[in-house]
Amino acid sequence: MDSYEALAAAYDELTEDVEYEKRADFVEKLFLRAKRPVRSLLDLACGTGNITLPLAKRGYELTGIDQSAEMLALARKKADEKGLRVCLSEQNIACFDAGGGFEAAICSFDGINYLTKSADVLSCLARVYEALTDGGLFIFDIGTPYKYRNILADRTY
């Protein structure tokens, strides 16, 4: 069993305190601040769809990419239960191909941090650039060494 298979079963329970609707609000505010209309949205490292689905519910055309089939299966189940139409694709964010025409891309909850090689990060950024329309937005967050050393430190969650 790979680590994602084990994690997928417990992921939503482990992250139940995350305020996904507030994160979706924040993403929408960034779209408004950039004064860029966004309808088509690419969600990298989408996991079980916890940010993908709230944004899809708000009317965005969502494509979610994750390398874990187990995580995507849970996202698909939740999307189907909510009657939401999303495209989900099992791919590594370092070398994905989602086509083009996306007005924005997001990668939330330290998803970029799963890329441990500089070449993979650069490849991911290049793929995002190729997937976006001219002037498209890429919104992502990362955990810094400071965060891991001083904030998370030796704590167990």
Side-chain angles (χ1 to χ4, degrees):
M1 173 179 353
D2 74 19
S3 59
Y4 289 106
E5 187 177 342
L7 179 60
Y11 185 80
D12 287 342
E13 191 174 327
L14 291 170
T15 62
E16 67 187 358
D17 63 329
V18 176
E19 296 176 327
Y20 293 107
E21 289 293 335
K22 285 187 178 180
R23 180 64 63 106
D25 291 342
F26 178 70
V27 167
E28 284 192 307
K29 285 178 187 172
L30 293 175
F31 294 161
L32 292 171
R33 182 185 295 171
K35 297 179 181 164
R36 295 266 318 162
V38 174
R39 279 186 345 150
S40 60
L41 182 56
L42 179 63
D43 185 5
L44 301 178
C46 68
T48 63
N50 290 330
I51 192 71
T52 313
L53 300 180
L55 289 167
K57 186 177 179 184
R58 295 171 186 216
Y60 295 97
E61 296 170 12
L62 256 295
T63 296
I65 293 177
D66 201 280
Q67 72 178 19
S68 169
E70 293 80 11
M71 294 277 215
L72 290 171
L74 291 171
R76 169 59 52 216
K77 181 179 180 207
K78 291 191 289 188
D80 289 348
E81 287 171 355
K82 295 176 182 191
L84 296 172
R85 212 172 136 194
V86 296
C87 176
L88 299 171
S89 180
E90 182 183 346
Q91 298 185 66
N92 183 321
I93 65 171
C95 54
F96 72 92
D97 181 4
F102 293 94
E103 291 143 345
I106 61 171
C107 187
S108 304
F109 311 107
D110 301 336
I112 298 276
N113 284 91
Y114 289 94
L115 302 175
T116 58
K117 296 177 184 163
S118 296
D120 288 344
V121 174
L122 292 173
S123 176
C124 175
L125 295 174
R127 303 279 177 158
V128 169
Y129 180 81
E130 291 170 6
L132 293 174
T133 58
D134 287 343
L137 303 172
F138 184 30
I139 299 167
F140 64 94
D141 57 19
I142 58 171
T144 63
Y146 176 86
K147 174 184 174 182
Y148 289 105
R149 270 194 312 271
N150 301 311
I151 297 171
L152 298 177
D154 292 327
R155 296 184 180 112
T156 301
Y157 294 90

